[in-house]
Amino acid sequence: MSIKNINIGEGELEIMKAVWKAKKPVSSSEIGKAVEQKGWKRTTIATFLSRLVEKGALTAEKEGRSLYYTPAITSAEYKKSQIRHLLKNVFDGSVKDFAVSLFDEEKLSDDEIKELRSVFDDKEK
């Protein structure tokens, strides 16, 4: 399954963030602690985990009586796929229209403007 075909819901994304943050294989109980503020039951977390494994976003490996989860995609890969999807489907592939919509309502600090100029300068080289 390619990354562009993985559709992750909001709840699933919270689980993915916890797994990415762990930077090591993690058990469902460790994930539960990481998303404790959500107030989800263990069954809800288990459902999210099984969906993410089924979608190919996570892998699960049994160690003893526990399953340990590892991301099959990186956070950066997922973000890129979501931006590509947004560009294609909302902005008809126009990076310019996307950028204009981002900055239309937002006031950028001088530091943010410098950072963006640096990114554009690097792309021109």
Side-chain angles (χ1 to χ4, degrees):
M1 181 177 291
S2 85
I3 293 169
K4 66 182 172 187
N5 294 334
I6 297 177
N7 184 20
I8 296 175
E10 285 183 45
E12 294 167 338
L13 184 55
E14 291 302 316
I15 299 294
M16 289 301 297
K17 287 178 182 179
V19 176
W20 285 322
K21 189 175 181 179
K23 298 183 182 190
K24 65 176 183 66
V26 289
S27 68
S28 60
S29 63
E30 291 171 302
I31 294 167
K33 288 176 188 165
V35 296
E36 193 172 42
Q37 76 284 1
K38 296 292 181 186
W40 292 332
K41 294 180 181 178
R42 285 192 331 228
T43 54
T44 302
I45 294 167
T47 299
F48 285 145
L49 288 167
S50 64
R51 284 185 193 159
L52 289 164
V53 169
E54 190 176 296
K55 291 177 179 185
L58 289 177
T59 60
E61 200 169 303
K62 193 163 180 109
E63 268 187 43
R65 292 167 43 164
S66 297
L67 284 174
Y68 285 83
Y69 298 90
T70 306
I73 60 172
T74 67
S75 174
E77 289 170 331
Y78 179 71
K79 288 174 186 176
K80 281 182 184 179
S81 75
Q82 291 302 292
I83 293 297
R84 280 190 212 108
H85 178 78
L86 185 67
L87 278 170
K88 178 182 172 193
N89 293 305
V90 177
F91 295 98
D92 296 323
S94 172
V95 174
K96 179 189 72 73
D97 289 349
F98 173 70
V100 168
S101 74
L102 283 176
F103 307 128
D104 196 30
E105 299 286 324
E106 295 292 319
K107 174 79 173 115
L108 296 175
S109 71
D110 289 342
D111 286 342
E112 289 171 322
I113 292 170
K114 285 178 188 174
E115 284 181 53
L116 287 169
R117 280 196 180 118
S118 174
V119 169
F120 289 125
D121 288 345
D122 286 348
K123 290 292 179 188
E124 283 183 342
K125 294 178 185 176

